[in-house]
Amino acid sequence: MDETKASSKMFTKAKASSHLPSIRIISTALVLLLLLLLTLSHFYSSASPSYLFRKWQVVPSSTNDDLTSKLRDSVTFLPLKDLRFSKTAMEGNTWFMSSLTDTREVNESEYLYFPSQASKGRILCIQGRNDKDGTKNSYALAWPEALPEAAKLTKGLTFVSDSYYDYVNLWHGLTAMAPFVGWSMKNGCLRPSRWVLFHWGERRGKMGSWLEKLMAVNFGEVKIEGFEGDDEGGKAQCFEKAVVMRHNVGSMGKEKELQVFEQLRCRARRYCGLNPAGKGRREVDDASIRLTLLLRRGSRSFKNARAVTDVFAKECAEVKGCVLKVVQSEELTTFCDQVRTMTETDIVASPHGAQLTNMLFMDRGSSVMEFFPKGWFELAGIGQYVFHWMADQSGLIHQGAWWEPMAKKECPSPDNELECFFFYKDGQVGHNETYFGEWARRVLNQVRDKKVEDHGKRMKIKAESNACTC
């Protein structure tokens, strides 16, 4: 009996021992399986959904085509000119591309850029052939992979401008272009492949020759998009990259204005073979004062140019180092004639007119004297101060203006101020010998004193940098 029990115990023990390797194998396999599951779990949690989608699923091409078609169909064109905002055409919610919100940066003009995070990667498309009614031109945003039917994708960077004024008038055109110069300066001196110009949402095909030359000097050849081949107005032009300005200088700060106008001045001088630093590079002992009497013919010319010239010649002769140069603006036939003349000018005296825009090429700290015909002070409104503003933007000193007095209105319709202004607008400018003499004397003395003060500074700092920002 005892032997039987002992034998049974030995059998049971042997049987248990025979299962031990199997148990170990199973346990090891379970551990390895658990580790594998943990590894896969980590992989799936870190892998992007798009990767898994591509890795494990095959999407039929018909599905992709259907998605692209739906994106294309979702593109909605809106009028370039939104009449609901005609009272704030260039301020706040503008009437040009009214659904879009500007990007605002400290000291910079407001702008739109495509594609961007704000546009969700979409690019700008324009149907812009109409040059008479901005409400018949339109714009939309579209994904590059799903452009509207028959749309043309235009490569490169495009500058798009809308101005309430125009691109032929030198002042208005300059204030429309200045923001693009500022944007380029901040973004690695990027240059556009083309320009798109609108006025009230209406297409414009050219700039004034002076403005176009100034932009070409800064950016290279100016190519203006005409939307050719879009005679029906139904085909869209989509731009790979686009910058849109619609406020002129807008919220550009004073510091940035000075930088932009300095850049324009510098590039123009370099193009014309002049030292970009202008008079600041002359010998330190050059204390001459260069006074330029810039005349014009026809509208707003002096009635008696000889008498005005004699006044300035007399006062100039009384100041040591003063050199008077009398220049007829119409005889400055080339861009570089204008740049060279104004670069070598410390004081310019001239009637109100486009020729004064060339003050841009004068050194900072130079002086401007301006003259108006009868009727301007009373009737012209705020626009008569544009060259005060430009002098400030350029870092010049506007030394005031002289308005020929108007005793009474002589226009046919005295009660209609606009008609009355047009009656006087292109009149000639008279003169007041006593006032002109005292005024010229005061300005010449100020400039002379500043020359003496600056002389010491230039002895320490002989020359300014001749490098343009771009």
Side-chain angles (χ1 to χ4, degrees):
M1 185 72 173
D2 292 337
E3 290 178 359
T4 302
K5 287 182 179 180
S7 176
S8 175
K9 287 180 180 179
M10 290 180 62
F11 176 77
T12 303
K13 185 176 181 180
K15 186 176 180 180
S17 298
S18 68
H19 285 290
L20 285 175
S22 299
I23 293 171
R24 289 195 187 98
I25 291 171
I26 292 171
S27 299
T28 302
L30 288 172
V31 170
L32 291 173
L33 180 60
L34 180 61
L35 290 173
L36 178 61
L37 290 173
L38 288 171
T39 301
L40 288 174
S41 173
H42 173 74
F43 169 77
Y44 277 94
S45 64
S46 61
S48 66
S50 60
Y51 173 82
L52 296 176
F53 182 80
R54 293 194 304 270
K55 186 75 176 175
W56 304 111
Q57 296 188 32
V58 177
V59 180
S61 60
S62 59
T63 302
N64 279 332
D65 291 343
D66 184 54
L67 178 59
T68 300
S69 178
K70 288 180 179 179
L71 289 175
R72 180 178 290 116
D73 292 341
S74 71
V75 175
T76 302
F77 280 87
L78 300 172
L80 267 182
K81 177 180 175 181
D82 187 342
L83 295 177
R84 294 176 302 167
F85 301 102
S86 58
K87 291 184 179 180
T88 56
M90 293 186 65
E91 300 175 0
N93 206 130
T94 74
W95 66 357
F96 185 81
M97 299 187 184
S98 63
S99 69
L100 304 177
T101 302
D102 291 300
T103 295
R104 294 176 178 270
E105 298 172 350
V106 176
N107 210 34
E108 305 290 333
S109 297
E110 309 93 313
Y111 70 93
L112 300 167
Y113 180 79
F114 307 95
S116 63
Q117 185 176 357
S119 73
K120 299 180 180 178
R122 293 172 293 175
I123 63 176
L124 178 65
C125 299
I126 296 178
Q127 296 172 338
R129 182 69 174 168
N130 197 293
D131 60 2
K132 294 181 176 61
D133 186 351
T135 64
K136 294 182 179 178
N137 290 324
S138 57
Y139 72 100
L141 301 183
W143 281 275
E145 302 83 2
L147 298 181
E149 292 291 347
K152 175 186 175 183
L153 177 62
T154 302
K155 296 287 188 178
L157 175 63
T158 301
F159 282 173
V160 181
S161 171
D162 182 72
S163 175
Y164 191 79
Y165 303 101
D166 62 47
Y167 305 97
V168 176
N169 177 282
L170 274 61
W171 159 254
H172 293 313
L174 181 58
T175 56
M177 296 296 102
F180 292 104
V181 178
W183 184 90
S184 173
M185 291 171 67
K186 188 174 181 180
N187 290 276
C189 300
L190 292 176
R191 298 184 172 196
S193 300
R194 71 198 57 76
W195 297 75
V196 178
L197 306 179
F198 291 103
H199 163 66
W200 296 9
E202 303 162 5
R203 180 183 61 85
R204 292 293 178 262
K206 66 177 183 179
M207 303 177 186
S209 59
W210 182 89
L211 182 64
E212 182 173 342
K213 189 67 177 181
L214 188 63
M215 291 302 101
V217 164
N218 278 269
F219 294 118
E221 183 183 1
V222 175
K223 297 179 180 178
I224 299 176
E225 177 60 50
F227 295 92
E228 288 81 5
D230 184 21
D231 296 331
E232 301 300 320
K235 295 180 181 177
Q237 189 108 336
C238 299
F239 302 99
E240 181 184 28
K241 298 174 184 177
V243 178
V244 179
M245 299 287 181
R246 50 188 182 165
H247 301 275
N248 284 12
V249 292
S251 59
M252 184 184 291
K254 177 64 180 294
E255 179 185 351
K256 189 56 179 277
E257 286 179 345
L258 291 172
Q259 293 170 0
V260 167
F261 280 75
E262 187 66 46
Q263 166 69 11
L264 292 168
R265 178 185 298 125
C266 183
R267 292 295 302 182
R269 287 173 173 174
R270 176 171 289 178
Y271 172 81
C272 295
L274 303 173
N275 193 305
K279 299 189 304 301
R281 297 290 292 187
R282 291 197 298 220
E283 293 298 321
V284 294
D285 60 350
D286 181 6
S288 63
I289 300 172
R290 308 197 180 194
L291 168 60
T292 299
L293 186 57
L294 187 60
L295 304 177
R296 53 184 284 152
R297 297 189 180 99
S299 64
R300 295 189 298 283
S301 60
F302 285 114
K303 295 174 184 176
N304 190 340
R306 170 50 58 191
V308 175
T309 300
D310 288 345
V311 172
F312 279 90
K314 178 183 176 182
E315 297 303 329
C316 185
E318 297 294 323
V319 178
K320 182 181 179 181
C322 181
V323 178
L324 174 65
K325 187 175 183 180
V326 180
V327 178
Q328 199 69 45
S329 60
E330 294 83 0
E331 294 174 4
L332 300 176
T333 55
T334 70
F335 178 77
C336 286
D337 286 342
Q338 298 161 18
V339 174
R340 191 171 294 106
T341 296
M342 302 309 281
T343 294
E344 292 300 326
T345 295
D346 295 297
I347 306 168
V348 62
S350 184
H352 179 84
Q355 77 285 347
L356 267 175
T357 312
N358 288 300
M359 72 170 73
L360 168 66
F361 308 123
M362 298 170 69
D363 275 0
R364 283 197 196 185
S366 299
S367 293
V368 180
M369 304 172 71
E370 191 176 3
F371 306 84
F372 289 87
K374 186 187 299 183
W376 272 73
F377 182 78
E378 296 83 0
L379 301 167
I382 196 170
Q384 63 190 298
Y385 298 102
V386 293
F387 294 117
H388 286 71
W389 306 332
M390 184 174 180
D392 185 59
Q393 292 169 327
S394 304
L396 309 184
I397 302 169
H398 196 289
Q399 296 281 5
W402 181 81
W403 287 267
E404 183 174 352
M406 182 177 69
K408 65 175 183 177
K409 292 182 181 179
E410 300 166 347
C411 47
S413 305
D415 294 331
N416 188 322
E417 290 204 349
L418 183 58
E419 285 187 16
C420 202
F421 170 66
F422 285 125
F423 176 82
Y424 289 109
K425 179 177 180 289
D426 294 325
Q428 288 186 295
V429 183
H431 77 283
N432 181 319
E433 185 174 339
T434 303
Y435 184 87
F436 284 13
E438 292 175 353
W439 187 18
R441 191 179 313 128
R442 183 173 68 252
V443 174
L444 282 166
N445 287 333
Q446 287 179 7
V447 173
R448 179 198 60 197
D449 293 345
K450 189 173 187 304
K451 286 267 185 178
V452 172
E453 180 184 342
D454 290 348
H455 175 74
K457 295 178 182 178
R458 287 200 301 272
M459 289 296 291
K460 296 178 182 178
I461 306 173
K462 274 196 172 186
E464 302 169 14
S465 169
N466 63 356
C468 305
T469 301
C470 292

Coordinates of all heavy atoms in Angstrom, one line a residue, residues 121-185:
G121 N -4.3 79.0 -47.3 CA -3.5 78.4 -48.4 C -4.0 78.7 -49.8 O -3.5 78.3 -50.8
R122 N -5.1 79.4 -49.9 CA -5.7 79.7 -51.2 C -5.0 80.9 -51.9 O -4.5 81.8 -51.2 CB -7.2 80.0 -51.0 CG -8.0 78.8 -50.6 CD -9.5 79.2 -50.3 NE -9.6 80.1 -49.1 CZ -10.7 80.6 -48.7 NH1 -11.8 80.4 -49.3 NH2 -10.7 81.4 -47.6
I123 N -5.1 80.9 -53.2 CA -4.4 82.0 -53.9 C -5.5 82.9 -54.5 O -6.7 82.6 -54.5 CB -3.5 81.5 -55.1 CG1 -4.4 80.7 -56.1 CG2 -2.4 80.6 -54.5 CD1 -3.5 80.2 -57.3
L124 N -5.1 84.1 -55.0 CA -6.0 85.1 -55.5 C -6.3 84.9 -57.0 O -5.3 84.8 -57.8 CB -5.4 86.5 -55.2 CG -6.2 87.7 -55.8 CD1 -7.5 87.8 -55.0 CD2 -5.4 89.0 -55.6
C125 N -7.5 85.0 -57.3 CA -8.0 84.9 -58.7 C -8.8 86.1 -59.0 O -9.6 86.6 -58.2 CB -8.8 83.7 -59.0 SG -7.9 82.1 -58.7
I126 N -8.5 86.7 -60.2 CA -9.2 88.0 -60.6 C -9.7 87.9 -62.0 O -9.1 87.4 -62.9 CB -8.3 89.2 -60.5 CG1 -7.8 89.4 -59.1 CG2 -8.9 90.4 -61.1 CD1 -6.8 90.6 -58.9
Q127 N -11.0 88.3 -62.2 CA -11.5 88.6 -63.5 C -11.6 90.1 -63.6 O -12.4 90.7 -63.1 CB -12.9 88.0 -63.6 CG -13.0 86.4 -63.6 CD -14.4 85.9 -63.5 OE1 -15.3 86.6 -63.1 NE2 -14.5 84.6 -63.8
G128 N -10.6 90.7 -64.4 CA -10.4 92.1 -64.3 C -10.3 92.9 -65.6 O -9.6 93.9 -65.6
R129 N -11.0 92.4 -66.6 CA -10.8 93.1 -67.9 C -11.5 94.4 -68.0 O -11.0 95.3 -68.7 CB -11.4 92.1 -69.0 CG -11.3 92.6 -70.4 CD -9.9 92.6 -70.9 NE -9.7 92.9 -72.3 CZ -8.6 93.2 -72.9 NH1 -7.5 93.2 -72.2 NH2 -8.6 93.5 -74.1
N130 N -12.6 94.6 -67.3 CA -13.4 95.9 -67.5 C -12.6 97.1 -67.0 O -12.2 97.2 -65.8 CB -14.7 95.7 -66.7 CG -15.7 96.7 -67.2 OD1 -15.6 97.9 -67.0 ND2 -16.8 96.2 -67.9
D131 N -12.6 98.1 -67.8 CA -11.9 99.4 -67.4 C -12.8 100.5 -67.2 O -12.4 101.7 -67.1 CB -10.8 99.7 -68.5 CG -11.4 100.0 -69.8 OD1 -12.6 99.9 -70.0 OD2 -10.6 100.2 -70.8
K132 N -14.1 100.2 -67.1 CA -15.1 101.3 -66.9 C -16.0 101.1 -65.7 O -16.6 102.1 -65.2 CB -16.0 101.4 -68.2 CG -15.2 101.9 -69.4 CD -16.1 102.0 -70.6 CE -15.4 102.6 -71.8 NZ -14.2 101.8 -72.2
D133 N -16.2 99.9 -65.3 CA -17.1 99.6 -64.1 C -16.5 98.5 -63.2 O -16.4 97.4 -63.6 CB -18.5 99.2 -64.7 CG -19.5 99.0 -63.6 OD1 -19.1 99.1 -62.4 OD2 -20.7 98.8 -63.9
G134 N -16.0 99.0 -62.1 CA -15.4 98.0 -61.2 C -16.3 97.0 -60.6 O -15.8 95.9 -60.2
T135 N -17.6 97.2 -60.6 CA -18.5 96.2 -60.1 C -18.6 95.0 -61.1 O -19.1 93.9 -60.7 CB -19.9 96.8 -59.9 OG1 -20.5 97.2 -61.2 CG2 -19.9 98.0 -59.0
K136 N -18.2 95.2 -62.3 CA -18.2 94.1 -63.3 C -16.9 93.3 -63.3 O -16.8 92.2 -64.0 CB -18.5 94.6 -64.7 CG -19.9 95.2 -64.8 CD -20.2 95.7 -66.2 CE -21.6 96.3 -66.2 NZ -21.9 96.8 -67.6
N137 N -15.9 93.7 -62.6 CA -14.7 92.9 -62.3 C -14.9 92.1 -61.0 O -15.7 92.5 -60.2 CB -13.5 93.8 -62.2 CG -13.1 94.4 -63.6 OD1 -13.3 93.7 -64.6 ND2 -12.6 95.6 -63.6
S138 N -14.2 91.0 -60.9 CA -14.5 90.2 -59.7 C -13.2 89.5 -59.2 O -12.2 89.4 -59.9 CB -15.6 89.2 -60.0 OG -15.2 88.4 -61.1
Y139 N -13.3 89.0 -58.0 CA -12.2 88.3 -57.4 C -12.7 87.0 -56.6 O -13.9 87.0 -56.2 CB -11.4 89.2 -56.4 CG -12.2 89.5 -55.2 CD1 -11.9 88.9 -54.0 CD2 -13.2 90.4 -55.2 CE1 -12.6 89.1 -52.8 CE2 -13.9 90.7 -54.0 CZ -13.6 90.1 -52.8 OH -14.3 90.4 -51.7
A140 N -11.8 86.1 -56.4 CA -12.1 84.9 -55.6 C -10.8 84.3 -55.0 O -9.7 84.7 -55.5 CB -12.9 83.9 -56.4
L141 N -11.0 83.5 -54.0 CA -9.8 82.7 -53.5 C -10.0 81.3 -53.9 O -11.1 80.7 -53.8 CB -9.7 82.9 -52.0 CG -9.5 84.3 -51.5 CD1 -9.3 84.3 -50.0 CD2 -8.3 85.0 -52.1
A142 N -9.0 80.6 -54.3 CA -9.1 79.2 -54.8 C -7.8 78.4 -54.4 O -6.7 79.0 -54.3 CB -9.3 79.1 -56.3
W143 N -8.0 77.1 -54.1 CA -6.9 76.3 -53.9 C -6.1 76.0 -55.2 O -6.8 75.8 -56.2 CB -7.3 75.0 -53.2 CG -7.6 75.1 -51.8 CD1 -6.7 75.1 -50.7 CD2 -8.9 75.4 -51.1 NE1 -7.3 75.3 -49.5 CE2 -8.7 75.5 -49.7 CE3 -10.2 75.5 -51.6 CZ2 -9.7 75.7 -48.8 CZ3 -11.2 75.8 -50.8 CH2 -10.9 75.9 -49.4
P144 N -4.8 76.0 -55.2 CA -4.0 75.8 -56.4 C -4.4 74.6 -57.1 O -4.3 74.5 -58.4 CB -2.6 75.8 -55.9 CG -2.6 76.6 -54.6 CD -3.9 76.3 -54.0
E145 N -4.8 73.5 -56.4 CA -5.1 72.2 -57.0 C -6.5 72.2 -57.6 O -6.9 71.2 -58.2 CB -5.0 71.1 -56.0 CG -3.6 71.0 -55.3 CD -3.4 71.9 -54.2 OE1 -4.4 72.7 -53.8 OE2 -2.3 72.0 -53.6
A146 N -7.3 73.3 -57.3 CA -8.7 73.3 -57.7 C -9.1 74.6 -58.2 O -10.1 75.3 -57.8 CB -9.6 72.8 -56.6
L147 N -8.4 75.1 -59.3 CA -8.7 76.5 -59.8 C -10.0 76.4 -60.6 O -10.4 75.4 -61.1 CB -7.5 76.9 -60.7 CG -6.2 77.1 -60.0 CD1 -5.1 77.5 -61.1 CD2 -6.2 78.0 -58.9
P148 N -10.6 77.6 -60.8 CA -11.9 77.6 -61.6 C -11.6 77.2 -63.0 O -10.5 77.2 -63.5 CB -12.2 79.1 -61.5 CG -11.5 79.7 -60.4 CD -10.3 78.9 -60.2
E149 N -12.7 76.7 -63.6 CA -12.6 76.2 -65.0 C -12.0 77.3 -65.9 O -12.4 78.5 -65.8 CB -14.0 75.8 -65.5 CG -14.6 74.6 -64.8 CD -13.8 73.3 -65.2 OE1 -13.0 73.4 -66.2 OE2 -14.0 72.3 -64.5
A150 N -11.1 77.0 -66.8 CA -10.5 77.8 -67.8 C -9.6 78.9 -67.1 O -9.2 79.8 -67.8 CB -11.6 78.5 -68.6
A151 N -9.4 78.9 -65.8 CA -8.5 79.9 -65.2 C -7.1 79.6 -65.6 O -6.6 78.5 -65.8 CB -8.7 79.8 -63.7
K152 N -6.3 80.7 -65.6 CA -4.9 80.7 -66.0 C -4.1 80.9 -64.7 O -4.3 81.9 -64.0 CB -4.6 81.7 -67.0 CG -3.1 81.8 -67.4 CD -2.9 83.0 -68.3 CE -1.4 83.2 -68.6 NZ -1.1 84.4 -69.4
L153 N -3.2 80.0 -64.4 CA -2.3 80.2 -63.3 C -1.0 81.0 -63.7 O -0.3 80.6 -64.6 CB -1.9 78.8 -62.7 CG -0.9 78.9 -61.5 CD1 -1.5 79.6 -60.3 CD2 -0.4 77.5 -61.1
T154 N -0.8 82.1 -63.1 CA 0.3 83.0 -63.5 C 1.4 82.8 -62.4 O 1.1 83.1 -61.2 CB -0.1 84.4 -63.6 OG1 -1.2 84.5 -64.5 CG2 1.0 85.3 -64.0
K155 N 2.6 82.4 -62.8 CA 3.7 82.2 -61.9 C 4.3 83.5 -61.4 O 4.2 84.5 -62.0 CB 4.7 81.3 -62.5 CG 4.2 79.9 -62.9 CD 4.0 79.0 -61.7 CE 3.7 77.6 -62.0 NZ 3.6 76.7 -60.8
G156 N 5.0 83.4 -60.3 CA 5.8 84.5 -59.8 C 5.0 85.4 -58.8 O 3.9 85.0 -58.4
L157 N 5.6 86.5 -58.4 CA 5.0 87.4 -57.5 C 4.3 88.6 -58.2 O 4.9 89.2 -59.1 CB 6.1 88.0 -56.5 CG 5.6 89.1 -55.6 CD1 4.6 88.6 -54.6 CD2 6.8 89.7 -54.8
T158 N 3.1 88.9 -57.9 CA 2.3 89.9 -58.5 C 2.0 91.0 -57.5 O 1.5 90.7 -56.4 CB 1.0 89.4 -59.1 OG1 1.3 88.4 -60.1 CG2 0.2 90.5 -59.8
F159 N 2.2 92.3 -57.9 CA 1.8 93.4 -57.0 C 0.4 93.9 -57.6 O 0.3 94.3 -58.8 CB 2.8 94.5 -57.1 CG 4.0 94.3 -56.3 CD1 5.1 95.2 -56.3 CD2 4.1 93.3 -55.4 CE1 6.2 95.0 -55.5 CE2 5.2 93.1 -54.6 CZ 6.3 94.0 -54.7
V160 N -0.6 93.9 -56.7 CA -1.9 94.4 -57.1 C -2.3 95.6 -56.3 O -2.2 95.7 -55.1 CB -3.0 93.3 -56.8 CG1 -4.4 93.7 -57.2 CG2 -2.6 92.0 -57.5
S161 N -2.6 96.7 -57.1 CA -2.9 98.0 -56.4 C -4.3 98.5 -56.8 O -4.7 98.3 -58.0 CB -1.9 99.0 -56.9 OG -2.2 100.3 -56.5
D162 N -5.0 99.0 -55.9 CA -6.2 99.8 -56.2 C -6.1 101.1 -55.5 O -5.8 101.3 -54.3 CB -7.5 99.1 -55.6 CG -8.7 99.9 -56.0 OD1 -9.1 99.8 -57.2 OD2 -9.3 100.5 -55.1
S163 N -6.3 102.2 -56.3 CA -6.1 103.5 -55.8 C -7.4 104.3 -56.1 O -8.1 104.1 -57.1 CB -5.0 104.3 -56.5 OG -4.9 105.6 -56.2
Y164 N -7.8 105.2 -55.2 CA -8.9 106.0 -55.3 C -8.6 107.1 -56.3 O -9.5 107.7 -56.9 CB -9.3 106.6 -54.0 CG -10.7 107.3 -54.0 CD1 -11.8 106.6 -53.9 CD2 -10.8 108.7 -54.1 CE1 -13.1 107.2 -53.9 CE2 -12.0 109.3 -54.1 CZ -13.2 108.5 -54.0 OH -14.4 109.1 -54.0
Y165 N -7.4 107.4 -56.6 CA -7.0 108.5 -57.5 C -6.5 107.9 -58.8 O -7.2 107.2 -59.5 CB -5.9 109.3 -56.8 CG -6.5 109.9 -55.5 CD1 -6.1 109.3 -54.2 CD2 -7.4 110.9 -55.5 CE1 -6.7 109.8 -53.1 CE2 -7.9 111.4 -54.3 CZ -7.6 110.9 -53.1 OH -8.1 111.3 -51.9
D166 N -5.2 108.1 -59.2 CA -4.7 107.5 -60.4 C -3.2 107.3 -60.4 O -2.6 107.5 -59.4 CB -5.1 108.4 -61.6 CG -4.5 109.7 -61.6 OD1 -3.3 109.8 -61.3 OD2 -5.2 110.7 -61.8
Y167 N -2.7 106.8 -61.5 CA -1.3 106.4 -61.6 C -0.5 107.3 -62.6 O 0.6 107.1 -62.9 CB -1.1 104.9 -62.0 CG -1.9 104.0 -61.1 CD1 -3.1 103.5 -61.4 CD2 -1.3 103.6 -59.9 CE1 -3.8 102.7 -60.6 CE2 -2.0 102.7 -59.0 CZ -3.3 102.3 -59.4 OH -4.0 101.4 -58.6
V168 N -1.2 108.3 -63.1 CA -0.6 109.3 -64.0 C -0.1 110.5 -63.3 O 1.0 111.0 -63.5 CB -1.6 109.6 -65.1 CG1 -0.9 110.7 -66.1 CG2 -1.9 108.4 -66.0
N169 N -0.9 111.0 -62.4 CA -0.5 112.1 -61.5 C 0.6 111.7 -60.7 O 0.6 110.6 -60.0 CB -1.7 112.6 -60.6 CG -1.3 113.7 -59.7 OD1 -0.7 113.4 -58.6 ND2 -1.7 114.9 -60.0
L170 N 1.7 112.5 -60.7 CA 3.0 112.0 -60.0 C 2.8 111.8 -58.5 O 3.2 110.8 -58.0 CB 4.1 113.1 -60.3 CG 4.9 112.9 -61.5 CD1 4.0 113.1 -62.8 CD2 6.0 113.9 -61.6
W171 N 2.1 112.7 -57.9 CA 1.9 112.6 -56.4 C 1.0 111.4 -56.1 O 1.4 110.6 -55.2 CB 1.3 113.9 -55.9 CG 0.7 113.7 -54.5 CD1 -0.7 113.7 -54.2 CD2 1.3 113.4 -53.3 NE1 -0.9 113.5 -52.9 CE2 0.3 113.3 -52.3 CE3 2.7 113.3 -52.9 CZ2 0.6 113.0 -51.0 CZ3 2.9 113.0 -51.6 CH2 1.9 112.9 -50.6
H172 N -0.1 111.3 -56.7 CA -1.1 110.2 -56.4 C -0.5 108.9 -56.7 O -0.6 107.9 -56.0 CB -2.4 110.4 -57.2 CG -3.2 111.6 -56.7 ND1 -3.4 111.9 -55.4 CD2 -3.8 112.6 -57.4 CE1 -4.1 113.0 -55.3 NE2 -4.4 113.4 -56.5
G173 N 0.2 108.8 -57.9 CA 0.9 107.6 -58.3 C 1.9 107.1 -57.3 O 2.1 106.0 -56.9
L174 N 2.7 108.1 -56.8 CA 3.8 107.8 -55.9 C 3.3 107.3 -54.6 O 3.8 106.3 -54.0 CB 4.7 109.1 -55.6 CG 5.8 108.9 -54.7 CD1 6.8 107.9 -55.2 CD2 6.6 110.3 -54.6
T175 N 2.2 107.9 -54.1 CA 1.7 107.4 -52.8 C 1.0 106.0 -52.9 O 0.9 105.3 -51.9 CB 0.6 108.4 -52.2 OG1 -0.4 108.6 -53.2 CG2 1.3 109.7 -51.9
A176 N 0.6 105.6 -54.1 CA 0.0 104.3 -54.4 C 1.2 103.3 -54.4 O 1.0 102.1 -54.0 CB -0.8 104.3 -55.6
M177 N 2.3 103.6 -55.0 CA 3.4 102.7 -55.1 C 4.3 102.6 -53.9 O 4.9 101.5 -53.7 CB 4.3 103.1 -56.3 CG 3.6 103.1 -57.7 SD 3.0 101.5 -58.2 CE 1.3 101.5 -57.8
A178 N 4.4 103.6 -53.1 CA 5.3 103.6 -51.9 C 5.1 102.4 -51.0 O 6.1 101.8 -50.5 CB 5.2 104.9 -51.1
P179 N 3.9 101.9 -50.8 CA 3.7 100.8 -49.9 C 4.3 99.5 -50.4 O 4.8 98.7 -49.6 CB 2.2 100.6 -49.8 CG 1.6 101.9 -50.1 CD 2.6 102.5 -51.1
F180 N 4.4 99.3 -51.7 CA 5.0 98.2 -52.3 C 6.5 98.2 -52.1 O 7.2 97.2 -51.8 CB 4.7 98.1 -53.8 CG 3.3 97.8 -54.1 CD1 2.4 98.8 -54.6 CD2 2.8 96.5 -54.0 CE1 1.1 98.5 -54.8 CE2 1.4 96.2 -54.2 CZ 0.6 97.2 -54.7
V181 N 7.1 99.4 -52.2 CA 8.5 99.6 -51.9 C 8.8 99.2 -50.4 O 9.8 98.5 -50.1 CB 9.0 101.0 -52.2 CG1 10.5 101.2 -51.8 CG2 8.7 101.4 -53.6
G182 N 7.9 99.7 -49.5 CA 8.1 99.3 -48.1 C 8.0 97.9 -47.8 O 8.8 97.3 -47.1
W183 N 7.0 97.2 -48.5 CA 6.8 95.8 -48.3 C 8.0 95.0 -48.8 O 8.5 94.1 -48.1 CB 5.5 95.3 -49.0 CG 5.2 93.9 -48.8 CD1 4.4 93.3 -47.8 CD2 5.7 92.8 -49.6 NE1 4.4 92.0 -47.9 CE2 5.2 91.6 -49.0 CE3 6.5 92.6 -50.7 CZ2 5.4 90.3 -49.5 CZ3 6.8 91.4 -51.2 CH2 6.2 90.2 -50.6
S184 N 8.5 95.4 -49.9 CA 9.7 94.7 -50.5 C 10.9 94.9 -49.6 O 11.6 93.9 -49.4 CB 10.0 95.3 -51.9 OG 11.2 94.8 -52.4
M185 N 11.1 96.1 -49.0 CA 12.3 96.3 -48.1 C 12.2 95.4 -46.9 O 13.2 94.9 -46.5 CB 12.3 97.7 -47.7 CG 12.6 98.7 -48.8 SD 12.3 100.5 -48.3 CE 13.6 100.7 -47.0

